[in-house]
Protein backbone atom coordinates (compact mmCIF):
# COMPACT_ATOMS: atom_id res chain seq x y z
CA UNK A 1 0.00 0.00 0.00
CA UNK A 2 1.43 3.35 -1.02
CA UNK A 3 1.64 5.83 1.80
CA UNK A 4 0.98 9.53 1.54
CA UNK A 5 4.25 11.37 2.17
CA UNK A 6 2.76 14.87 2.04
CA UNK A 7 3.85 17.03 4.96
CA UNK A 8 1.33 18.88 7.11
CA UNK A 9 0.82 22.60 6.73
CA UNK A 10 1.53 24.92 9.65
CA UNK A 11 -2.16 25.43 10.46
CA UNK A 12 -2.87 21.69 10.43
CA UNK A 13 0.22 20.96 12.52
CA UNK A 14 -0.83 23.63 15.03
CA UNK A 15 -4.32 22.11 15.40
CA UNK A 16 -2.89 18.63 15.92
CA UNK A 17 -0.36 19.83 18.49
CA UNK A 18 -3.04 21.78 20.35
CA UNK A 19 -5.26 18.70 20.46
CA UNK A 20 -2.36 16.52 21.62
CA UNK A 21 -1.44 19.02 24.32
CA UNK A 22 -5.03 18.98 25.58
CA UNK A 23 -4.95 15.18 25.77
CA UNK A 24 -1.73 15.15 27.77
CA UNK A 25 -2.81 17.99 30.06
CA UNK A 26 -6.07 16.22 30.84
CA UNK A 27 -4.15 13.08 31.78
CA UNK A 28 -1.05 14.65 33.41
CA UNK A 29 -1.72 18.29 34.45
CA UNK A 30 1.02 18.30 37.10
CA UNK A 31 3.56 17.10 34.56
CA UNK A 32 2.76 19.92 32.15
CA UNK A 33 2.71 22.61 34.86
CA UNK A 34 5.98 21.42 36.44
CA UNK A 35 7.80 21.36 33.11
CA UNK A 36 6.57 24.83 32.14
CA UNK A 37 7.55 26.27 35.52
CA UNK A 38 11.03 24.77 35.17
CA UNK A 39 11.39 26.23 31.68
CA UNK A 40 10.47 29.72 32.86
CA UNK A 41 12.77 29.45 35.89
CA UNK A 42 15.75 28.12 33.92
CA UNK A 43 15.30 30.73 31.19
CA UNK A 44 15.04 33.83 33.38
CA UNK A 45 17.20 33.18 36.45
CA UNK A 46 20.58 33.40 34.60
CA UNK A 47 19.84 37.05 33.91
CA UNK A 48 19.64 37.75 37.64
CA UNK A 49 23.28 36.77 38.03
CA UNK A 50 24.25 38.77 34.95
CA UNK A 51 22.49 41.88 36.26
CA UNK A 52 24.00 41.62 39.74
CA UNK A 53 27.46 40.97 38.30
CA UNK A 54 27.10 44.08 36.15
CA UNK A 55 26.27 46.12 39.26
CA UNK A 56 29.34 44.73 41.01
CA UNK A 57 31.63 45.51 38.08
CA UNK A 58 30.22 49.03 37.84
CA UNK A 59 30.87 49.62 41.53
CA UNK A 60 34.42 48.26 41.22
CA UNK A 61 35.22 50.59 38.33
CA UNK A 62 33.46 53.71 39.62
CA UNK A 63 32.37 54.01 43.23
CA UNK A 64 34.61 51.45 44.99
CA UNK A 65 32.64 51.87 48.19
CA UNK A 66 33.60 48.96 50.51
CA UNK A 67 30.19 48.79 52.18
CA UNK A 68 28.37 48.76 48.84
CA UNK A 69 30.73 46.11 47.47
CA UNK A 70 30.20 43.93 50.54
CA UNK A 71 26.45 44.27 50.20
CA UNK A 72 26.53 43.37 46.50
CA UNK A 73 28.72 40.32 47.11
CA UNK A 74 26.36 39.06 49.81
CA UNK A 75 23.36 39.60 47.55
CA UNK A 76 25.05 37.75 44.69
CA UNK A 77 26.00 34.77 46.88
CA UNK A 78 22.57 34.63 48.53
CA UNK A 79 20.70 34.85 45.23
CA UNK A 80 22.91 32.17 43.65
CA UNK A 81 22.26 29.82 46.57
CA UNK A 82 18.52 30.46 46.47
CA UNK A 83 18.36 29.97 42.69
CA UNK A 84 20.26 26.68 42.91
CA UNK A 85 18.09 25.32 45.74
CA UNK A 86 14.87 26.39 44.02
CA UNK A 87 16.02 24.88 40.72
CA UNK A 88 16.84 21.56 42.44
CA UNK A 89 13.38 21.51 44.06
CA UNK A 90 11.58 22.38 40.82
CA UNK A 91 13.50 19.80 38.80
CA UNK A 92 12.75 17.12 41.37
CA UNK A 93 9.07 18.06 41.22
CA UNK A 94 9.21 17.81 37.42
CA UNK A 95 10.93 14.40 37.48
CA UNK A 96 8.36 12.99 39.89
CA UNK A 97 5.46 14.40 37.85
CA UNK A 98 6.91 12.93 34.63
CA UNK A 99 7.41 9.44 36.07
CA UNK A 100 5.48 6.84 34.11
CA UNK A 101 4.64 9.19 31.26
CA UNK A 102 5.21 6.46 28.69
CA UNK A 103 2.57 4.26 30.29
CA UNK A 104 0.14 7.16 30.64
CA UNK A 105 0.43 7.85 26.92
CA UNK A 106 0.05 4.15 26.23
CA UNK A 107 -3.13 4.20 28.33
CA UNK A 108 -4.55 6.95 26.10
CA UNK A 109 -4.18 4.70 23.05
CA UNK A 110 -5.56 1.68 24.90
CA UNK A 111 -8.65 3.56 26.05
CA UNK A 112 -9.20 4.82 22.51
CA UNK A 113 -9.04 1.28 21.14
CA UNK A 114 -11.44 0.00 23.80
CA UNK A 115 -13.95 2.80 23.08
CA UNK A 116 -14.10 1.94 19.37
CA UNK A 117 -16.70 -0.37 17.87
CA UNK A 118 -15.34 -3.85 17.27
CA UNK A 119 -15.51 -3.67 13.42
CA UNK A 120 -13.50 -0.41 13.52
CA UNK A 121 -11.01 -1.71 16.09
CA UNK A 122 -10.48 -4.90 14.07
CA UNK A 123 -10.14 -3.04 10.79
CA UNK A 124 -6.69 -3.60 9.17
CA UNK A 125 -6.43 0.14 8.50
CA UNK A 126 -6.78 0.82 12.23
CA UNK A 127 -3.98 -1.62 13.04
CA UNK A 128 -1.83 -0.14 10.29
CA UNK A 129 -2.38 3.36 11.67
CA UNK A 130 -1.53 2.24 15.20
CA UNK A 131 1.58 0.47 13.87
CA UNK A 132 2.69 3.70 12.17
CA UNK A 133 2.13 5.65 15.41
CA UNK A 134 4.34 3.19 17.29
CA UNK A 135 7.02 3.35 14.60
CA UNK A 136 7.10 7.14 14.70
CA UNK A 137 7.13 7.23 18.49
CA UNK A 138 9.89 4.65 18.95
CA UNK A 139 11.89 5.54 15.85
CA UNK A 140 11.97 9.33 15.73
CA UNK A 141 10.42 10.14 19.09
CA UNK A 142 7.37 11.74 17.49
CA UNK A 143 3.83 11.65 18.79
CA UNK A 144 2.27 12.76 22.06
CA UNK A 145 5.60 12.51 23.89
CA UNK A 146 7.13 15.14 21.62
CA UNK A 147 4.40 17.76 22.03
CA UNK A 148 5.40 19.10 25.44
CA UNK A 149 9.04 19.15 24.30
CA UNK A 150 8.15 21.51 21.46
CA UNK A 151 6.18 23.74 23.83
CA UNK A 152 9.13 23.81 26.22
CA UNK A 153 11.42 24.85 23.39
CA UNK A 154 9.10 27.65 22.29
CA UNK A 155 8.65 29.02 25.81
CA UNK A 156 12.36 28.71 26.58
CA UNK A 157 13.28 30.67 23.47
CA UNK A 158 10.59 33.27 24.14
CA UNK A 159 11.57 33.96 27.74
CA UNK A 160 15.28 33.87 26.92
CA UNK A 161 14.68 36.41 24.16
CA UNK A 162 12.60 38.66 26.41
CA UNK A 163 15.21 38.52 29.17
CA UNK A 164 17.97 39.33 26.72
CA UNK A 165 16.03 42.24 25.25
CA UNK A 166 15.37 43.72 28.69
CA UNK A 167 19.04 43.58 29.63
CA UNK A 168 20.32 44.88 26.29
CA UNK A 169 18.03 47.89 25.91
CA UNK A 170 20.94 50.11 26.90
CA UNK A 171 22.96 48.58 24.04
CA UNK A 172 20.58 50.18 21.56
CA UNK A 173 19.89 53.43 23.45
CA UNK A 174 23.42 54.42 24.56
CA UNK A 175 25.55 56.32 22.08
CA UNK A 176 29.13 55.45 21.26
CA UNK A 177 31.40 58.45 22.03
CA UNK A 178 32.48 60.47 18.99
CA UNK A 179 36.10 59.82 19.96
CA UNK A 180 35.68 56.10 19.23
CA UNK A 181 36.54 56.53 15.56
CA UNK A 182 35.13 53.85 13.26
CA UNK A 183 32.97 52.45 16.06
CA UNK A 184 30.68 55.47 15.79
CA UNK A 185 28.95 53.57 12.98
CA UNK A 186 27.14 51.76 15.79
CA UNK A 187 25.16 54.97 16.38
CA UNK A 188 23.56 54.65 12.96
CA UNK A 189 19.90 53.53 13.23
CA UNK A 190 20.43 51.30 10.19
CA UNK A 191 22.99 49.30 12.16
CA UNK A 192 20.40 48.64 14.86
CA UNK A 193 17.90 47.54 12.20
CA UNK A 194 20.56 45.25 10.74
CA UNK A 195 21.12 43.56 14.12
CA UNK A 196 17.38 43.09 14.61
CA UNK A 197 17.04 41.66 11.08
CA UNK A 198 19.86 39.18 11.69
CA UNK A 199 18.28 38.09 14.99
CA UNK A 200 14.89 37.57 13.33
CA UNK A 201 16.44 35.60 10.46
CA UNK A 202 18.31 33.32 12.86
CA UNK A 203 15.17 32.88 14.95
CA UNK A 204 13.26 31.81 11.84
CA UNK A 205 15.93 29.63 10.22
CA UNK A 206 16.87 27.59 13.30
CA UNK A 207 13.45 25.92 13.81
CA UNK A 208 13.00 25.66 10.04
CA UNK A 209 16.08 23.46 9.69
CA UNK A 210 15.16 21.55 12.84
CA UNK A 211 11.68 20.78 11.48
CA UNK A 212 13.14 19.82 8.11
CA UNK A 213 15.58 17.40 9.73
CA UNK A 214 12.87 15.93 11.94
CA UNK A 215 10.52 15.44 8.99
CA UNK A 216 12.84 12.78 7.56
CA UNK A 217 12.08 10.56 10.56
CA UNK A 218 8.38 10.74 9.76
CA UNK A 219 8.83 10.25 6.02
CA UNK A 220 10.95 7.15 6.64
CA UNK A 221 8.85 5.70 9.45
CA UNK A 222 8.36 2.47 7.47
CA UNK A 223 12.02 1.57 8.00
CA UNK A 224 11.94 2.05 11.79
CA UNK A 225 12.20 -1.06 13.89
CA UNK A 226 10.79 -1.42 17.41
Amino acid sequence: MKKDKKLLKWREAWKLNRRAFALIYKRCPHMIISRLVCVVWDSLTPYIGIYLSALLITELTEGRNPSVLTKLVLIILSSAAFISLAAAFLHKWRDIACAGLYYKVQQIFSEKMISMDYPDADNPKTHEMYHTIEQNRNGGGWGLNRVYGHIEGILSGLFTLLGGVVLTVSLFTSRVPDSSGAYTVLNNPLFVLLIIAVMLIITYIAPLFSNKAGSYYSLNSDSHNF
Side-chain angles (χ1 to χ4, degrees):
M1 180 178 177
K2 185 178 179 180
K3 294 185 178 293
D4 185 10
K5 299 296 185 179
K6 184 179 180 181
L7 297 178
L8 291 176
K9 297 181 179 179
W10 281 97
R11 182 175 298 179
E12 296 173 340
W14 168 252
K15 290 181 179 179
L16 288 175
N17 278 272
R18 186 175 59 183
R19 181 185 176 191
F21 179 81
L23 285 172
I24 298 177
Y25 183 82
K26 182 179 179 180
R27 179 76 56 179
C28 321
H30 294 291
M31 187 271 291
I32 296 295
I33 295 174
S34 63
R35 295 189 75 97
L36 297 183
V37 170
C38 284
V39 167
V40 175
W41 184 266
D42 293 339
S43 300
L44 295 181
T45 50
Y47 293 110
I48 297 177
I50 295 174
Y51 176 74
L52 294 176
S53 298
L55 294 179
L56 180 62
I57 293 174
T58 301
E59 185 62 29
L60 285 171
T61 57
E62 297 179 1
R64 298 184 181 181
N65 188 323
S67 61
V68 175
L69 290 173
T70 302
K71 183 178 179 180
L72 285 175
V73 170
L74 291 176
I75 293 175
I76 291 174
L77 294 177
S78 300
S79 62
F82 173 76
I83 290 173
S84 298
L85 290 174
F89 173 80
L90 292 175
H91 290 172
K92 189 65 176 179
W93 174 38
R94 180 196 62 189
D95 294 341
I96 294 174
C98 293
L101 176 62
Y102 176 86
Y103 300 103
K104 293 176 181 177
V105 172
Q106 193 67 34
Q107 187 178 5
I108 293 176
F109 292 118
S110 299
E111 291 178 352
K112 180 61 178 179
M113 293 292 292
I114 294 174
S115 66
M116 297 175 64
D117 294 335
Y118 179 78
D120 295 329
D122 195 50
N123 193 317
K125 292 184 178 180
T126 302
H127 290 280
E128 182 181 1
M129 184 181 299
Y130 181 74
H131 183 75
T132 302
I133 292 173
E134 287 296 315
Q135 284 182 318
N136 286 324
R137 183 168 62 155
N138 293 283
W142 297 99
L144 292 177
N145 303 66
R146 180 66 71 91
V147 173
Y148 60 82
H150 285 320
I151 296 175
E152 283 183 341
I154 293 173
L155 290 179
S156 177
L158 177 61
F159 283 104
T160 300
L161 178 62
L162 290 177
V165 169
V166 170
L167 285 184
T168 56
V169 168
S170 60
L171 176 65
F172 299 102
T173 56
S174 300
R175 289 184 57 83
V176 176
D178 295 334
S179 58
S180 299
Y183 292 105
T184 55
V185 70
L186 300 176
N187 294 327
N188 194 319
L190 295 178
F191 185 82
V192 176
L193 293 177
L194 176 62
I195 293 178
I196 295 175
V198 171
M199 293 175 63
L200 292 176
I201 291 174
I202 294 175
T203 302
Y204 174 77
I205 290 179
L208 184 66
F209 282 126
S210 178
N211 292 335
K212 185 63 176 179
S215 67
Y216 289 110
Y217 284 103
S218 178
L219 294 177
N220 295 279
S221 61
D222 292 342
S223 61
H224 297 166
N225 295 318
F226 66 95

